[in-house]
Amino acid sequence: MSIGHTLLGLLESGPRHGYDLKRAFDETFGHDRPLHYGQVYSTMSRLLKNGLVEVDGIEAGGGPERKRYAITDAGITDVEQWLATPQKPEEYLQSALYTKVVLALLTHRDAADILDTQRSEHLRSMRILTDRKRKGDLADQLICDHALFHLEADLRWLELTAARLDKLREAVAR
């Protein structure tokens, strides 16, 4: 996810302070990974330097000055271009799990155990996500569905690999 583009998109509804941006991000997108304040302010500094936001006002308070940021026309154009550009599908061609299976075979360890352990972990994660989905709002349901579909694909790969383990053992032994 592009933090910068997300913060720019949140600014389209009107100027906000860094604290407000963090709160809006965390409420909408950061359920599992809230932003750190430092990440918000370093991102805003970069966006300001690149002309995608401007300081709309500075308020003095009991602590440090609070800058209110507003998106510029260039920022709006940047968000529009980002939204219109398709995400590159993640092809998982450098899978750590595949590497573990092959290394287990190369070192004469039981790759089937690795696959079984991973299958159990995937199923555990799926149970947690399914429970979260059941209790969540629509946004949470959609993000859980996305994760569940990826885990289902991984499970299919685990089953296929388990079925081909003898052939893979022969192929890597050469």
Side-chain angles (χ1 to χ4, degrees), residues 113-131:
D113 282 350
I114 292 170
L115 294 170
D116 289 342
T117 300
Q118 192 63 49
R119 184 181 304 106
S120 294
E121 184 62 19
H122 270 61
L123 291 171
R124 186 188 69 74
S125 291
M126 291 176 81
R127 284 190 296 276
I128 291 168
L129 285 167
T130 300
D131 186 54

Side-chain angles (χ1 to χ4, degrees), residues 18-128:
Y19 174 83
D20 298 326
L21 283 167
K22 179 200 174 347
R23 189 177 65 227
F25 180 96
D26 289 351
E27 288 173 0
T28 309
F29 307 106
H31 296 284
D32 297 311
R33 246 196 218 152
L35 282 180
H36 297 286
Y37 284 105
Q39 193 173 9
V40 172
Y41 293 111
S42 65
T43 301
M44 295 312 296
S45 177
R46 184 176 38 80
L47 294 173
L48 185 63
K49 178 182 167 193
N50 292 334
L52 302 177
V53 297
E54 61 191 9
V55 175
D56 186 57
I58 298 176
E59 298 172 9
E65 293 180 334
R66 292 180 43 169
K67 292 179 185 173
R68 188 174 55 244
Y69 298 96
I71 191 168
T72 63
D73 290 340
I76 291 171
T77 300
D78 197 58
V79 170
E80 287 172 348
Q81 290 173 346
W82 180 69
L83 290 172
T85 303
Q87 280 298 115
K88 183 178 181 335
E90 296 178 30
E91 296 170 347
Y92 303 105
L93 294 177
Q94 294 296 322
S95 166
L97 184 53
Y98 171 78
T99 302
K100 285 182 174 186
V101 170
V102 171
L103 282 176
L105 293 172
L106 287 172
T107 59
H108 307 289
R109 289 181 172 91
D110 192 349
D113 282 350
I114 292 170
L115 294 170
D116 289 342
T117 300
Q118 192 63 49
R119 184 181 304 106
S120 294
E121 184 62 19
H122 270 61
L123 291 171
R124 186 188 69 74
S125 291
M126 291 176 81
R127 284 190 296 276
I128 291 168

Side-chain angles (χ1 to χ4, degrees), residues 120-172:
S120 294
E121 184 62 19
H122 270 61
L123 291 171
R124 186 188 69 74
S125 291
M126 291 176 81
R127 284 190 296 276
I128 291 168
L129 285 167
T130 300
D131 186 54
R132 176 177 163 181
K133 177 182 165 181
R134 195 175 303 118
K135 296 174 183 173
D137 61 11
L138 180 58
D140 216 29
Q141 291 169 14
L142 289 171
I143 197 67
C144 287
D145 279 338
H146 187 263
L148 284 164
F149 293 151
H150 281 278
L151 289 169
E152 286 174 11
D154 285 351
L155 282 175
R156 288 194 335 253
W157 181 86
L158 290 166
E159 294 301 324
L160 179 65
T161 303
R164 294 179 174 173
L165 211 46
D166 289 335
K167 288 183 182 178
L168 183 58
R169 184 177 291 109
E170 290 172 18
V172 299

